[in-house]
Amino acid sequence: DTPDSEGLYYVELADTVIFPEGGGQPSDTGNISGVPVKHARRDGLRAIHYVPASIPAGTSVRVEVDFKRRLDHMQQHSGQHLLSAVLRKYWGLETVSWNLGATVSHVELRAPKELVLSQGALDAIESKCNDMIFEALPISTNIIEQAAATCPSTVPDDYVGGVIRHVEIGVAGAAIDRNACCGTHLASTAQMQVLKLAGVDRIRGGNMRLFFYVGARVREYAEASLVRDKRLAGLLSCPPETQSEAVERLIKQGKASLKSLKSLRVQLAPLVAQDLRNQLVAQGKIQRQSTVYHCEDGDGPFSSSIGSELARLMAGSNAEWLTVVASGPKADGGPLVVVGNDEASIIDAVERLTLLLGTCKGGLSHGTWRGKAANFVRLAKLNLSAQSSTLGSSDMI
């Protein structure tokens, strides 16, 4: 009668059509006399239903399963059995685990590091699976007594039901697959409708993950792809058949533009440094000549080039001078260079910047501090005058 920290009550029924999670398959959802079942789990031989309202003990109830979710899980789970059977029988690849994801599922395969599943191999695997779907092979279950000799290692330690349930794909005596499984399954491979492979990833220990969609998920994937194709057709002004070429052209143009931009920055940096030098000199004989320069379109090399060139131009100056060069958008921050002819002043400037902008990570070397700031929103408030080594209260607001 007491809910958990998430406000859910635990309900056990005399019998249920709600599948609790197990065998790599998430639990069903549904309702108990209109009360939503958010989740169900197995506890030994008990099925525990998680619901947002208390149901009095002894109540007679009607239990309904969300069949759309159930059918999706059956298609993915039966599809996984078929895919693993095809991989084992025709390609010698063993499935060590699988995951029924919210949008895409995968099997984890034990595979030699040198093995590469080419697109041709993936096409052949997919074609073989779909041939067997078209054949409408029967999917059946049978129960055997649980004994040490017949109990698979995958059976949980707390299961003491006394029997083991096996799922078979194919006609009796010629089944392509037979595995112990507690999950929900289809009656025929035809009910899978279609299986689509979605690529391979290498993971720990040389294993690989093979991603797949089955049934309605293939349709949903196709629909989402068509929506993307239509949107890209408008953005790229070309049909889906030539979109990859259009994107390649844009990438090539972007690289060329970036190269030109870097070249322009190389040419601009000495001019900016000269202007900053003029600003410093124009301040005359004050205790500390200082300037701040911020370029929202700049980058690290641009800031460093300005700092290095300014140091060269100011090498003969007898006055104390200090300059801050920042590159990047105000909100996002970016590279930061503090250059001058007095290390104590440079360190003081970095401390002031930290008070204004938050943590500034970097280091001082040969008269120049180089680092990064998380933002430049308050950079305009920076006061580099030598009269105070800390920011005033008005600067901190």
Side-chain angles (χ1 to χ4, degrees):
D1 293 336
T2 302
D4 63 13
S5 60
E6 297 181 358
L8 297 176
Y9 295 82
Y10 303 164
V11 175
E12 183 181 358
L13 304 174
D15 201 357
T16 185
V17 295
I18 302 291
F19 173 75
E21 63 182 355
Q25 180 177 325
S27 80
D28 284 339
T29 55
N31 70 81
I32 301 174
S33 293
V35 179
V37 176
K38 302 294 187 180
H39 175 66
R41 68 174 177 86
R42 184 186 63 80
D43 182 7
L45 298 181
R46 304 159 61 208
I48 309 300
H49 306 72
Y50 290 66
V51 298
S54 177
I55 301 175
T59 303
S60 180
V61 295
R62 176 183 174 84
V63 185
E64 296 180 342
V65 66
D66 178 348
F67 192 71
K68 182 179 179 181
R69 176 182 171 90
R70 163 71 73 82
L71 178 59
D72 172 54
H73 288 178
M74 288 194 296
Q75 286 185 322
Q76 308 317 308
H77 202 160
S78 295
Q80 177 266 314
H81 277 228
L82 177 64
L83 175 59
S84 292
V86 167
L87 288 166
R88 180 181 63 252
K89 183 173 181 178
Y90 298 100
W91 275 267
L93 296 173
E94 290 292 335
T95 296
V96 296
S97 67
W98 85 292
N99 174 262
L100 200 166
T103 56
V104 62
S105 302
H106 72 262
V107 291
E108 181 176 334
L109 305 174
R110 184 181 293 111
K113 291 183 178 180
E114 64 273 12
L115 176 68
V116 176
L117 283 180
S118 65
Q119 188 58 52
L122 294 176
D123 290 343
I125 294 167
E126 182 180 298
S127 178
K128 190 65 177 178
C129 289
N130 283 301
D131 286 345
M132 292 185 175
I133 290 173
F134 185 76
E135 290 174 22
L137 300 175
I139 301 175
S140 58
T141 61
N142 61 77
I143 306 297
I144 64 171
E145 293 296 321
Q146 181 180 3
T150 60
C151 188
S153 60
T154 54
V155 173
D157 293 336
D158 66 341
Y159 175 73
V160 290
V163 296
I164 300 296
R165 176 174 175 264
H166 283 82
V167 176
E168 286 189 357
I169 300 178
V171 297
I176 184 177
D177 185 60
R178 185 176 188 272
N179 267 297
C181 185
C182 66
T184 58
H185 286 273
L186 304 168
S188 166
T189 58
Q191 293 174 329
M192 297 179 196
Q193 299 175 321
V194 63
L195 181 145
K196 179 64 182 174
L197 298 182
V200 177
D201 276 348
R202 276 285 182 183
I203 54 172
R204 64 186 183 280
N207 288 356
M208 62 173 62
R209 286 176 180 160
L210 177 56
F211 295 87
F212 66 93
Y213 302 92
V214 183
R217 292 194 182 191
V218 178
R219 201 163 57 246
E220 292 166 1
Y221 178 78
E223 290 170 357
S225 297
L226 288 171
V227 170
R228 283 194 297 270
D229 283 349
K230 185 175 181 180
R231 187 161 185 265
L232 286 171
L235 293 171
L236 300 172
S237 300
C238 66
E241 294 77 14
T242 59
Q243 285 174 1
S244 59
E245 290 86 350
V247 171
E248 287 173 355
R249 284 196 300 272
L250 287 174
I251 292 174
K252 186 176 180 180
Q253 291 168 5
K255 289 180 178 179
S257 297
L258 182 60
K259 184 177 180 180
S260 296
L261 179 59
K262 288 181 177 180
S263 176
L264 290 172
R265 284 173 179 161
V266 169
Q267 299 174 52
L268 180 62
L271 301 178
V272 172
Q274 182 63 55
D275 183 60
L276 292 174
R277 183 261 181 196
N278 293 341
Q279 292 180 44
L280 291 169
V281 173
Q283 293 174 22
K285 296 182 179 181
I286 61 175
Q287 189 172 353
R288 177 189 294 163
Q289 300 169 347
S290 61
T291 56
V292 177
Y293 175 77
H294 179 209
C295 178
E296 292 206 36
D297 296 326
D299 60 9
F302 181 61
S303 294
S304 292
S305 294
I306 292 173
S308 298
E309 179 63 15
L310 181 59
R312 187 187 69 80
L313 293 173
M314 295 294 292
S317 175
N318 293 321
E320 181 185 340
W321 64 274
L322 185 66
T323 293
V324 172
V325 182
S327 292
K330 284 186 178 181
D332 301 329
L336 193 61
V337 171
V338 183
V339 60
N341 59 354
D342 182 78
E343 288 196 355
S345 297
I346 294 173
I347 294 171
D348 174 60
V350 174
E351 291 175 351
R352 300 187 192 198
L353 285 164
T354 298
L355 288 172
L356 274 174
L357 309 178
T359 303
C360 296
K361 296 182 178 180
L364 178 65
S365 178
H366 304 295
T368 302
W369 184 92
R370 293 180 176 85
K372 289 184 177 181
N375 70 83
F376 297 129
V377 174
R378 302 177 65 204
L379 183 62
K381 292 180 175 289
L382 181 63
N383 177 10
L384 292 176
S385 67
Q387 279 69 32
S388 173
S389 62
T390 59
L391 293 169
S393 59
S394 63
D395 293 316
M396 293 299 295
I397 299 174

